[in-house]
Amino acid sequence: MINLVEKIKSIKILDQFDLDNKKLMLIVLISVVVFYIDFNFILKAQVRWLAKSGTKVERFKKDLDNFKIDLKKMRDLESKQTLASQKPVSNAKSIIPANQFSSLLQDISRTANHNDVRILQIKPSRMPTENQSNKAKVPVNLNPFMVNLDLSCAYHNLGKFINELENLQAFVSLRDIKIEPQDDNYLKQKVNLALVTYVKK
C-alpha cells in the first residue's frame, strides 16, 4: 500500500514536471512569435521612421544653412545699396573740348565695331548757329557739330548701337535716322544716322 501511494505521488510529480515543460515550451514559443512580430512589424517601422526623421533633420539643416547664406547675401546687397545711395550719382553728360572731338569719333567707331555695325562713311561737320531753331538755343561757349554716319547693319544691332551711343559719357543726341533695305542682303539695312554733339569753344 505504501509503495502504491509513493508510485502515485511520483506519477503526479512526473505529470507536473511534464506540464511545466509544456508550459515552458509554450512560453518560449509565444516569446519567439512575439519577438518575431515585434522585430518585423514594430521595430522595422520604428527604424524606418527614425531613418525618415534623420533625412528630415538633414534636410532641415540644409534649408537652415541655405537660409543663412541667402540672409547674408541679402544683407550684403542692402549694405551695397546703402553705400551706392550715399555716393553721388554721376550720370551727367559731359561736353567735350575741341581737342577731344577726334576721340569722340573713335568712341563712336569702337561702339559700332562692338555691336557689329559697319561704318561705311563718317562725316563730321560744324553746324552753323543761324540754322539752329529757336527751340534749342545753344549757349555762347558751345559749338554744335553734326556727325553723319552711313551704316550697314542688322536691325537689332542698330538698336544696340544707338543705345550705347546714348550711354556715352560725352553728350551725343540722335537727330535723324533713315533706314532702307539692302538690295544684295535682305538681313542688313542701309542706315543713315545724323548725330548732334556740342564742343566747348
Side-chain angles (χ1 to χ4, degrees):
M1 183 79 180
I2 295 172
N3 289 335
L4 184 63
V5 171
E6 287 179 5
K7 283 182 181 180
I8 291 171
K9 282 183 180 179
S10 67
I11 289 170
K12 283 183 179 177
I13 290 168
L14 285 172
D15 285 345
Q16 194 171 356
F17 182 74
D18 286 343
L19 190 62
D20 286 342
N21 280 343
K22 287 178 184 175
K23 283 181 181 177
L24 187 62
M25 289 297 289
L26 186 64
I27 289 170
V28 169
L29 185 64
I30 289 172
S31 299
V32 168
V33 170
V34 167
F35 179 74
Y36 176 77
I37 291 171
D38 183 49
F39 180 77
N40 277 335
F41 296 104
I42 298 170
L43 192 62
K44 280 187 178 178
Q46 288 176 348
V47 169
R48 281 196 298 268
W49 183 81
L50 285 173
K52 285 181 182 177
S53 298
T55 56
K56 285 181 181 177
V57 168
E58 288 177 11
R59 195 179 309 138
F60 179 73
K61 284 181 181 177
K62 286 181 182 177
D63 290 344
L64 188 62
D65 291 341
N66 289 337
F67 175 75
K68 287 179 181 176
I69 291 169
D70 291 341
L71 185 64
K72 185 178 181 301
K73 287 180 182 177
M74 190 173 68
R75 286 179 178 164
D76 290 344
L77 184 63
E78 284 178 358
S79 63
K80 285 179 183 177
Q81 286 178 344
T82 306
L83 288 174
S85 65
Q86 291 173 355
K87 289 180 182 178
V89 180
S90 60
N91 285 336
K93 298 288 184 179
S94 62
I95 305 297
I96 58 172
N99 60 355
Q100 291 182 5
F101 185 71
S102 60
S103 66
L104 173 64
L105 297 179
Q106 289 175 356
D107 288 343
I108 292 171
S109 179
R110 265 194 300 272
T111 305
N113 290 334
H114 179 258
N115 290 288
D116 198 21
V117 173
R118 186 175 168 211
I119 297 179
L120 303 174
Q121 190 174 24
I122 183 166
K123 293 183 285 186
S125 60
R126 186 174 171 189
M127 292 173 61
T129 51
E130 59 268 9
N131 289 345
Q132 293 288 317
S133 63
N134 292 330
K135 293 179 184 177
K137 291 185 178 178
V138 181
V140 180
N141 61 339
L142 298 181
N143 284 328
F145 274 83
M146 177 81 75
V147 180
N148 284 307
L149 298 168
D150 291 330
L151 310 171
S152 172
C153 61
Y155 185 75
H156 293 291
N157 294 29
L158 176 65
K160 292 177 185 177
F161 174 61
I162 292 172
N163 184 47
E164 285 195 29
L165 284 179
E166 290 177 348
N167 289 329
L168 287 176
Q169 190 62 38
F171 176 80
V172 175
S173 174
L174 178 65
R175 169 165 273 195
D176 194 15
I177 182 169
K178 291 179 184 174
I179 303 174
E180 296 176 2
Q182 286 189 7
D183 296 333
D184 55 343
N185 189 350
Y186 66 93
L187 294 175
K188 293 197 173 184
Q189 285 81 29
K190 289 190 293 186
V191 181
N192 178 262
L193 281 184
L195 305 174
V196 176
T197 187
Y198 295 97
V199 174
K200 293 178 185 175
K201 290 183 179 176

